[in-house]
Amino acid sequence: YQDKTELKNVEGQELFYMLSKAKLNSIYGMTVQDICKRNILYENDQFKFDDELSDLELYNKKTTDMLMSVPLAYSQSNGYGYKWDNVGAMVNRGVELNVNATVLQIRDFAWNINANVGYNHNRLTELYNGVDEYETSNTSTKLVVGRPVGEFYINRYAGVNPANGDALWYDKDGNITNELRDEDKVMVGKSYHAPWQGGFGTSLSWKGLSLSILMTSSVGNDIYNASRIEMEGMYSGANQVKSVLRRWRTPGQITDIPKGGELDNLKASTRWVEDGSYLKIKNITLSYNITHPALKKANISRIQPYITLDNMITFTKYSGYDPEMSQYTSATSMGVDWGTYPCVKTVLFGVNVEF
């Protein structure tokens, strides 16, 4: 259940509060789910096609009135800290190539392929109220006019001091230090939005037997693996992963994991940012069409038993469960993996009956 309640903040601005059902200590009630300004609009997309040649497409897309959360003082937002509003603009430029072809067709045998690959570069061109940048909470990213959306804004990890096992970082000027300070955060040039994405599909059929395979890929994106903080932090006494066996133990030891029992092990830095590129075999389906004159007597034209495999194999260097998944789904706060449930591997048997 949801309800919209119109209220005003201390400046008299009309705001809508989205109310949702909530439960606390077995008592049901209503809670504020979100806050937005009156007359929220859909984002406005404008396309300009520079060229279009059969399956090759070049595009220049400008998005205005982006729906974004705008930070507010708590006194201005009745304690919520932000509001949703149509602010900001962004430009996406890129190219997409699609290929569909019949590779071979001889008598009862046919082989078809389809593939697509796309490159996209985005750039934020406007925020709100003349603001040029602001840091998004809990994502280690920062929205900056003139830079891509989703670029990480974070301290840079410099490794481990061999003498004492302390974690090291780079300051804003690139000098190595053992102090982690907010003022040393920088835009690191890595983003959770993949510039390259693609897919490949192929199907083979011989008489009544058919095999189809679908693969998807993402190249060039990075992921903030917050799960590793829990599993490599070596602070709370919880179970840890095998990599902590490489932790610093003796003076002079060269390793990438600092000594245990330090709060610095839990702090955000590029130590937890990983390459999220992957190639995934998304679907494999094997089927067989059974047709027989005896079936027509039962008014059945075809019976097709099949087996389908989903998300069975992923090729990636990412150490988490699944580089395809994210803790958050918003375009401005994706790229964080914090125990996120992976795509489910499924094996499905079935029979289609066509009358």
Side-chain angles (χ1 to χ4, degrees):
Y1 174 79
Q2 289 186 338
D3 189 18
K4 293 182 180 179
T5 301
E6 184 177 345
L7 300 174
K8 294 185 179 181
N9 62 5
V10 293
E11 295 181 350
Q13 184 181 23
E14 292 185 346
L15 301 172
F16 272 115
Y17 291 81
M18 301 292 294
L19 303 180
S20 294
K21 183 177 70 174
K23 180 182 179 182
L24 178 63
N25 296 329
S26 301
I27 300 175
Y28 288 91
M30 304 297 291
T31 184
V32 176
Q33 175 186 341
D34 260 321
I35 178 175
C36 61
K37 195 183 74 172
R38 187 181 181 90
N39 300 325
I40 284 291
L41 304 173
Y42 287 105
E43 295 177 353
N44 183 18
D45 293 335
Q46 299 175 7
F47 287 88
K48 180 180 179 182
F49 295 100
D50 299 317
D51 197 4
E52 187 174 347
L53 301 172
S54 63
D55 292 317
L56 177 65
E57 182 180 288
L58 306 178
Y59 62 86
N60 180 22
K61 174 186 175 183
K62 181 178 180 181
T63 301
T64 58
D65 294 329
M66 291 171 56
L67 186 60
M68 302 174 64
S69 60
V70 178
L72 287 177
Y74 284 100
S75 60
Q76 293 178 306
S77 60
N78 292 73
Y80 220 59
Y82 70 91
K83 68 174 180 179
W84 289 97
D85 201 354
N86 292 107
V87 295
M90 180 175 62
V91 172
N92 284 276
R93 295 187 177 96
V95 57
E96 293 183 0
L97 175 65
N98 296 280
V99 176
N100 294 278
T102 299
V103 179
L104 189 62
Q105 187 164 6
I106 302 176
R107 296 182 181 177
D108 296 325
F109 178 80
W111 178 21
N112 298 292
I113 63 171
N114 61 83
N116 64 82
V117 62
Y119 173 81
N120 181 77
H121 175 74
N122 74 70
R123 181 171 57 89
L124 192 64
T125 59
E126 182 184 343
L127 281 171
Y128 63 93
N129 299 335
V131 173
D132 290 331
E133 60 181 48
Y134 79 88
E135 190 173 353
T136 54
S137 61
N138 301 320
T139 65
S140 296
T141 63
K142 190 176 187 179
L143 297 174
V144 180
V145 171
R147 300 188 73 98
V149 174
E151 185 175 350
F152 288 103
Y153 175 71
I154 197 169
N155 291 94
R156 293 171 293 173
Y157 185 61
V160 179
N161 187 337
N164 57 20
D166 287 345
L168 300 173
W169 293 273
Y170 294 102
D171 65 16
K172 201 165 188 176
D173 298 321
N175 303 308
I176 294 180
T177 176
N178 61 353
E179 294 184 44
L180 186 69
R181 304 177 301 181
D182 283 345
E183 54 265 35
D184 289 327
K185 289 181 179 180
V186 296
M187 305 293 286
V188 297
K190 296 182 177 182
S191 171
Y192 52 72
H193 286 300
W196 292 96
Q197 290 189 328
F200 175 80
T202 184
S203 63
L204 298 98
S205 61
W206 178 69
K207 296 186 175 180
L209 187 65
S210 297
L211 173 67
S212 65
I213 301 173
L214 174 64
M215 294 182 288
T216 59
S217 65
S218 176
V219 179
N221 62 300
D222 290 272
I223 299 173
Y224 186 80
N225 190 352
S227 300
R228 284 178 55 202
I229 300 177
E230 305 280 351
M231 298 184 293
E232 291 184 15
M234 298 178 292
Y235 188 81
S236 65
N239 288 336
Q240 304 288 275
V241 293
K242 185 178 179 180
S243 58
V244 302
L245 296 176
R246 301 198 311 268
R247 70 188 183 277
W248 184 93
R249 298 182 184 182
T250 59
Q253 180 181 351
I254 305 299
T255 181
D256 59 332
I257 297 183
K259 61 186 177 184
E262 299 291 328
L263 279 174
D264 284 346
N265 291 340
L266 309 179
K267 295 179 179 178
S269 73
T270 53
R271 177 184 173 186
W272 316 115
V273 177
E274 300 184 36
D275 181 9
S277 303
Y278 69 87
L279 172 65
K280 176 175 290 190
I281 300 180
K282 195 72 175 175
N283 175 272
I284 301 174
T285 298
L286 179 66
S287 64
Y288 184 71
N289 291 326
I290 301 173
T291 58
H292 193 275
L295 295 176
K296 295 183 179 180
K297 296 180 179 180
N299 294 322
I300 298 175
S301 60
R302 184 185 63 164
I303 296 178
Q304 183 192 58
Y306 65 88
I307 178 174
T308 296
L309 310 178
D310 289 327
N311 305 307
M312 297 305 293
I313 302 176
T314 301
F315 302 96
T316 183
K317 294 181 179 179
Y318 180 61
S319 65
Y321 283 123
D322 192 343
E324 189 178 6
M325 304 304 292
S326 173
Q327 177 74 14
Y328 308 107
T329 57
S330 169
T332 57
S333 59
M334 296 172 62
V336 176
D337 181 1
W338 188 17
T340 310
Y341 203 78
C343 288
V344 178
K345 295 182 179 181
T346 61
V347 178
L348 177 64
F349 297 90
V351 177
N352 291 321
V353 180
E354 187 176 307
F355 296 94

